[in-house]
Amino acid sequence: MGTLAGKTALVTGGSRGIGRGIAERLGREGARVAVHYGSNEAAAKETVATIEAGGGSAFAIGAELGVPGDAAALWAEFDRQADGLDILVNNAGIALYGHIQEIQEADYERVFAINAKAPFFIIQQGLDRLRDGGRIINISSGVTRIAFPVTAAYSMTKGAIDVLTHTLAHQLGPRGITVNAVAPGIIETEVLDGLPQEQKSQMAAYSTFDRIGQPSDVADVVSFIASDDARWITGQRIDATGGSALGL
Ligand code: NAP
């Protein structure tokens, strides 16, 4: 029996990248996983198939985030296939590169709508569905600790996620719900496909382990936070950057 047997989990952006790694790991631990996607249904179905091939249970739900009514649409899809949940992982997000001088207002609004506003309203509208003793796990980023001027607006969205995390942890403690953020460093996803090896080596060097992280490096941490073993941890930002930028 896995550590999450009998639990239902929802992973936003569970179709690809880090979210896929998280969905698959939670599925291996015995949770029934709602694998959310925005537009790439085929990728979500692949994740579902992988979980099922491992003996787990999963289903795909589609909802574009960052648009009016996104949270309500997501929960309507979820409700069609599940009755309440125990673990909510707010993972879906987009990157936005540019120094403050370069960021256009529309791009700023979009990155905030997807990375910060959507998780806020997904949680707001999910609170009645989330069972007491449950888990909310928000995917933050190393950029809330390490300054990256080239991701100024994106970094701010993750700062908002960190604040939401400890604020809600305070409110939801009486229900036995823990709220934590997991902050990955540079992780190997499709975004890095095609980058020159030299650039990848520079990225690897941020970590004290001198390698780029894998989705499983983050998923293993999320799985622990989702488990009963982590019941006494709440309101925390857990750095999962492989010791990036620890010193000069
Ligand atoms: P990814 O490979 O690009 O996957 C993003 C996931 O989010 C996909 O499942 C995608 O679904 C979904 N998504 C994106 N925009 C959406 C939208 N508007 N509506 C609905 N779904 C949407 O991303 P990733 O690198 O795994 O990143 C996952 C999370 O980790 C993000 O919050 C990111 O900020 C954070 N993070 C990543 C890194 C890194 O190095 N990769 C580092 C630190 C933090 P569709 O394909 O269907 O749109």
Side-chain angles (χ1 to χ4, degrees):
M1 288 262 281
T3 57
L4 303 177
K7 308 283 188 194
T8 298
L10 165 59
V11 182
T12 69
S15 53
R16 297 190 292 111
I18 295 172
R20 172 179 278 184
I22 294 169
E24 291 178 0
R25 178 66 209 267
L26 299 185
R28 279 205 303 281
E29 290 298 334
R32 181 169 184 244
V33 187
V35 177
H36 161 265
Y37 65 94
S39 56
N40 193 339
E41 184 178 8
K45 285 188 167 165
E46 266 180 44
T47 307
V48 168
T50 303
I51 293 170
E52 288 175 343
S57 169
F59 57 93
I61 59 170
E64 185 184 356
L65 303 179
V67 295
D70 52 4
L74 178 143
W75 286 119
E77 281 291 308
F78 178 86
D79 289 344
R80 265 195 269 280
Q81 304 195 60
D83 182 17
L85 87 161
D86 306 282
I87 301 156
L88 168 61
V89 183
N90 281 304
N91 161 82
I94 59 166
L96 177 61
Y97 296 99
H99 289 86
I100 188 167
Q101 307 92 310
E102 296 151 356
I103 298 297
Q104 301 298 311
E105 193 170 346
D107 294 329
Y108 177 99
E109 282 174 359
R110 181 164 162 74
V111 75
F112 266 83
I114 295 170
N115 291 8
K117 184 177 174 188
F120 183 96
F121 285 100
I122 289 169
I123 294 170
Q124 181 199 68
Q125 294 175 34
L127 283 178
D128 289 344
R129 294 168 171 90
L130 188 62
R131 286 184 269 275
D132 289 358
R135 300 278 184 268
I136 298 173
I137 302 165
N138 299 317
I139 303 304
S140 175
S141 169
V143 298
T144 66
R145 172 173 63 85
I146 308 160
F148 272 92
V150 74
T151 61
Y154 168 82
S155 303
M156 287 173 67
T157 68
K158 296 300 185 180
I161 285 296
D162 288 354
V163 174
L164 178 64
T165 297
H166 81 87
T167 303
L168 283 180
H170 190 43
Q171 179 180 335
L172 297 178
R175 289 184 53 193
I177 295 170
T178 72
V179 189
N180 291 290
V182 173
I186 294 169
I187 302 295
E188 181 114 40
T189 61
E190 284 164 33
V191 180
L192 303 193
D193 285 356
L195 284 185
Q197 192 49 48
E198 191 191 334
Q199 203 173 333
K200 284 193 176 182
S201 299
Q202 283 170 359
M203 288 174 154
Y206 280 117
S207 162
T208 194
F209 303 124
D210 197 20
R211 71 169 172 85
I212 291 175
Q214 296 299 311
S216 60
D217 291 319
V218 180
D220 289 352
V221 176
V222 171
S223 173
F224 166 66
I225 294 297
S227 75
D228 187 57
D229 284 350
R231 64 195 169 277
W232 207 234
I233 300 174
T234 194
Q236 302 306 301
R237 174 193 177 282
I238 292 131
D239 191 290
T241 65
S244 288
L246 285 179
L248 292 174

